[in-house]
Amino acid sequence: MTALSVSTSSAASLRADALVVGVAKGPKGVVLAPGAEAVNEAFEGKLAEVLSTLGATGAEGEAVKVPSPAGLKAALVLAVGLGEAEEGYALEALRRAAGVAARTLAGAKKVALALPVESADEVEAVALGGLLGSYSFGTYKGNGNGKEPVGELVVLAARKGSKDAKAAVERAAAIGEEMNRARDLVNTAPNDLNPKSFAAIAQAAGKEHGLKVEVLDEKALTKGGFGGLLGVGNGSTNPPRLVKVAYTHPKAKATLAFVGKGITYDSGGISLKPAGHNETMKCDMAGAAAVFAAVVAAKRLGLAVNVTGWLALAENMPSGSATRPGDVLRMYGGKTVEVLNTDAEGRLVLADAIVRAGEENPDVIVDVATLTGAMVLALGNRTFGVMANSDELRDDLHALAGEVGEQSWPMPLPADLRKGMTESTIADLANMGERMGGGLVAGLFLKEFVAEGIDWAHLDIAGPAFHEGAPFGYTPKGGTASAVRTLVRFAERTANGKA
């Protein structure tokens, strides 16, 4: 695991395998960002000229290596692009640049980041971007995943405010390490990660961090009447679980409930997915991974808010015991649902968990799920949709996501789309409605299970939860830990009395 630290040493005097500086696109070519002054001095004021000769432009995502001259104790200088030159660089630009640097320098034991940081927020952005960019999942490869991740990332900061800088790095470590835990879960092969093993991981983390963890197995779910979880899990030899992970703070004045969809593998069930659509379906538990990571991060940060995570875990498989299209499930809480498509299973497990979460009267419920392909068609692969029964809550979460560098978009819940779900002739609801606007229909379905008087929001992370393209910024190929930062920021803001 990559270690994070902060140093007030000069960039020229710090011993490291590589020293990272920022460059940007200026009107007349590449320009050096603040933080590169000592390095430029070692190059006799010609660092920008040298980089330009090597083809550097300062564009975002760019990385150019230069051997260090005399005067620097690092063996290598890496210039990373920040995009257009500005007086102050956006936090997301700093995160991405640090991520590019950490990925480019994989194999190095120690890397110093001399990027433009003045505030604690900027220090945190660089540290978090570097930690996320260093991520590598090599569990199943004989040689790991090629080069080892950077051993240590050192963020260079000014002596003034060094105490705040240290706290910022510690905060980045708490969030980044939990995000990487979520990535590991998403990337784990489904023959290793099933509802039972996921629950065991949650129990182990509970012991490590002092969280209260309760697990309902298939017998407890049957006794409790959790028809959604049982209906989805019936076709698998790996039975479902509902896991409660609770963090409480003695000074908390509010309670949040985060609910995560945890389909550890989604074949579609009897409504089988076609070839080309099931190879990455191990990622269908990314919502539960995000919720789990967010609760642990809240505990590590000591936020003065109660946060309960509900992990709705099941494996959706076809078999002689699987739920059929046309079956009717009696959900937790008593509502009946006619299953028209067994591949619309996420909303069934979430519904049970939302009702159970509501019984504890939280101030807000936020569910997170890789719920619909329709949301990917609407918003693409990098943006998640935000729906809510409160416009204020929806807009707040959208704004908070932007603050932490996550792309989201507020989506409506049109009342006219509800009609298709309520026209079942044999049950209270159907698990499908109109085809057009399918992501909104799924949100409307979940809304039916939210207790009156509780604010609720739904994050559909189907697009950004699993990245199949080439890595960019601090985003790797595979699991991304989408929504973790948004949930943590929401919990932090609630702790500060702004819910």
Side-chain angles (χ1 to χ4, degrees):
M1 182 185 297
T2 300
L4 287 177
S5 63
V6 64
S7 173
T8 58
S9 298
S10 162
S13 63
L14 188 71
R15 293 187 182 278
D17 297 305
L19 180 60
V20 179
V21 298
V23 293
K25 296 174 68 174
K28 296 182 180 179
V30 65
V31 296
L32 304 179
E37 295 83 0
V39 181
N40 188 39
E41 185 177 336
F43 277 88
E44 298 180 349
K46 296 182 178 180
L47 178 57
E49 183 180 335
V50 170
L51 292 170
S52 294
T53 301
L54 294 173
T57 65
E60 182 181 318
E62 187 177 77
V64 178
K65 295 178 180 179
V66 186
S68 292
L72 297 180
K73 292 191 176 180
L76 178 76
V77 172
L78 177 72
V80 290
L82 291 163
E84 297 295 331
E86 301 176 16
E87 285 189 16
Y89 292 92
L91 297 180
E92 181 65 1
L94 295 175
R95 289 186 202 101
R96 292 189 179 190
V100 169
R103 187 170 58 253
T104 302
L105 295 169
K109 292 183 178 179
K110 184 175 182 179
V111 171
L113 300 168
L115 292 169
V117 294
E118 293 184 2
S119 68
D121 286 344
E122 289 168 335
V123 171
E124 180 185 331
V126 169
L128 180 58
L131 182 56
L132 296 177
S134 69
Y135 175 79
S136 178
F137 184 75
T139 299
Y140 301 107
K141 292 195 173 184
N143 64 339
N145 206 16
K147 294 180 179 179
E148 289 291 318
V150 171
E152 181 185 5
L153 290 169
V154 183
V155 181
L156 299 184
R159 289 188 182 279
K160 183 179 180 181
S162 59
K163 186 176 180 180
D164 290 340
K166 183 179 179 181
V169 168
E170 291 173 352
R171 173 183 161 80
I175 296 172
E177 287 169 6
E178 294 313 316
M179 287 181 68
N180 285 341
R181 185 205 297 266
R183 290 170 167 183
D184 281 348
L185 286 167
V186 174
N187 289 329
T188 299
N191 57 318
D192 286 333
L193 188 74
N194 55 51
K196 183 179 179 180
S197 61
F198 196 151
I201 290 169
Q203 289 173 314
K207 289 182 180 179
E208 179 184 356
H209 295 287
L211 300 166
K212 185 177 181 181
V213 179
E214 298 177 18
V215 178
L216 296 186
D217 63 12
E218 65 272 29
K219 292 180 180 179
L221 293 172
T222 300
K223 184 178 180 179
F226 289 84
L229 276 157
L230 291 166
V232 173
N234 271 346
S236 174
T237 56
N238 296 306
R241 297 286 188 271
L242 179 62
V243 180
K244 176 185 177 183
V245 184
Y247 160 61
T248 57
H249 192 283
K251 295 183 180 180
K253 295 181 179 179
T255 297
L256 304 178
F258 296 155
V259 179
K261 173 187 172 183
I263 305 299
T264 56
Y265 182 75
D266 182 19
S267 70
I270 297 296
S271 305
L272 193 67
K273 294 179 185 289
H277 293 264
N278 54 18
E279 291 82 357
T280 60
M281 281 298 101
K282 65 180 182 180
C283 77
D284 215 18
M285 38 57 67
V291 164
F292 174 44
V295 176
V296 178
K299 171 63 169 69
R300 292 180 62 177
L301 294 170
L303 303 182
V305 60
N306 297 329
V307 185
T308 302
W310 298 89
L311 316 182
L313 308 177
E315 189 175 66
N316 188 24
M317 298 292 284
S319 74
S321 60
T323 294
R324 298 160 288 257
D327 283 356
V328 174
L329 304 178
R330 187 171 296 278
M331 312 294 286
Y332 185 72
K335 279 191 174 73
T336 56
V337 174
E338 181 182 9
V339 178
L340 299 180
N341 187 327
T342 65
D343 196 23
E345 85 299 330
R347 64 199 71 182
L348 299 175
V349 301
L350 285 173
D352 274 0
I354 287 171
V355 175
R356 178 63 187 89
E359 290 181 337
E360 301 196 353
N361 298 310
D363 295 280
V364 181
I365 296 174
V366 181
D367 77 71
V368 187
T370 48
L371 204 60
T372 65
M375 197 57 61
V376 185
L377 291 173
L379 299 178
N381 290 317
R382 296 191 184 183
T383 303
F384 62 76
V386 185
M387 288 153 267
N389 61 3
S390 158
D391 288 350
E392 182 180 0
L393 175 60
R394 180 196 63 196
D395 295 343
D396 281 350
L397 285 167
H398 170 54
L400 292 173
E403 287 179 15
V404 297
E406 296 202 278
Q407 294 175 215
S408 71
W409 196 251
M411 302 294 282
L413 290 173
D416 57 287
L417 289 179
R418 181 177 180 271
K419 184 179 179 182
M421 295 186 304
T422 59
E423 289 182 337
S424 170
T425 58
I426 61 171
D428 297 324
L429 294 168
N431 77 329
M432 296 291 288
E434 292 188 28
R435 181 169 177 267
M436 300 302 172
L440 311 183
V441 170
L444 285 164
F445 180 89
L446 296 177
K447 184 182 177 185
E448 295 288 324
F449 296 87
V450 180
E452 187 173 350
I454 296 179
D455 285 343
W456 155 83
H458 163 56
L459 310 184
D460 190 337
I461 62 170
F466 194 82
H467 179 57
E468 296 187 62
F472 67 94
Y474 51 79
T475 301
K477 189 168 185 175
T480 64
S482 177
V484 173
R485 284 175 289 163
T486 299
L487 294 177
V488 172
R489 179 56 63 90
F490 182 56
E492 184 176 42
R493 197 194 67 162
T494 302
N496 292 334
K498 298 179 181 179

